[in-house]
């Protein structure tokens, strides 16, 4: 089975940066798409970014296009999310998700089969 573990969250001041990492294990060769979502308290889970495992195609939410970068680290077998110029509204639990059947970079949480436990990101002065 596929396991996903997020790390890198924490407390940062507005304008600061964080780099989140999603470590994959199990059968990473069967993962076709990896995505990052976030969820603030009492809010719906929101798409942030996605990457194709093999072709490295990328998709970003409008709010993330300028400030965030998703990438795959071949050596570590991780998918990372570099977040710059963070704002208080970026505060949320960030989740990585993966699926082995997707043929496109889906923005809907229901499209993904595998999920990590999340890592808290808090942007506050």
């Amino acid at each position: 089975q596929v396991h996903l573990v997020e790390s890198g969250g924490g407390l940062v001041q507005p304008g600061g940066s964080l780099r989140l990492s999603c470590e994959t294990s199990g059968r990473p060769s069967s993962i076709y798409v990896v995505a990052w979502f976030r969820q603030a308290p009492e809010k719906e889970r929101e798409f942030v970014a996605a990457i194709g495992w093999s072709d490295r195609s990328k998709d970003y939410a409008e709010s993330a296009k300028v400030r965030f970068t998703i990438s795959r680290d071949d050596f570590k077998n991780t998918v990372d999310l570099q977040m710059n110029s963070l704002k208080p509204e970026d505060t949320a639990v960030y989740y990585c998700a993966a699926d082995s059947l997707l043929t496109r970079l889906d923005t809907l949480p229901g499209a993904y089969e595998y999920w990590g436990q999340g890592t808290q990101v808090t942007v506050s002065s």
Side-chain angles (χ1 to χ4, degrees):
Q1 51 184 292
V2 175
H3 297 278
L4 306 174
V5 180
E6 305 97 331
S7 62
L11 175 64
V12 64
Q13 294 187 16
S17 299
L18 285 174
R19 187 175 183 88
L20 307 183
S21 180
C22 176
E23 184 175 358
T24 64
S25 63
R27 294 179 56 84
S29 62
S30 68
I31 300 175
Y32 298 155
V33 179
V34 177
W36 283 96
F37 291 81
R38 66 187 184 187
Q39 188 167 19
E42 300 183 353
K43 298 293 182 66
E44 296 294 317
R45 193 159 296 189
E46 176 187 22
F47 173 78
V48 178
I51 185 170
W53 186 261
S54 180
D55 63 8
R56 288 177 166 84
S57 58
K58 299 176 181 180
D59 190 27
Y60 295 93
E62 189 66 30
S63 62
K65 286 182 177 179
V66 176
R67 300 179 296 125
F68 296 0
T69 302
I70 189 170
S71 62
R72 193 190 108 190
D73 190 315
D74 295 334
F75 181 76
K76 297 180 179 179
N77 248 6
T78 63
V79 171
D80 301 329
L81 184 70
Q82 178 67 43
M83 305 188 296
N84 300 322
S85 301
L86 285 164
K87 305 174 181 179
E89 49 262 47
D90 295 317
T91 296
V93 177
Y94 283 69
Y95 299 90
C96 61
D99 193 84
S100 60
L101 299 177
L102 290 173
T103 57
R104 63 186 178 93
L105 304 181
D106 210 298
T107 62
L108 300 177
Y112 293 86
E113 180 178 2
Y114 307 105
W115 291 84
Q117 296 300 306
T119 184
Q120 177 70 49
V121 172
T122 302
V123 185
S124 176
S125 60

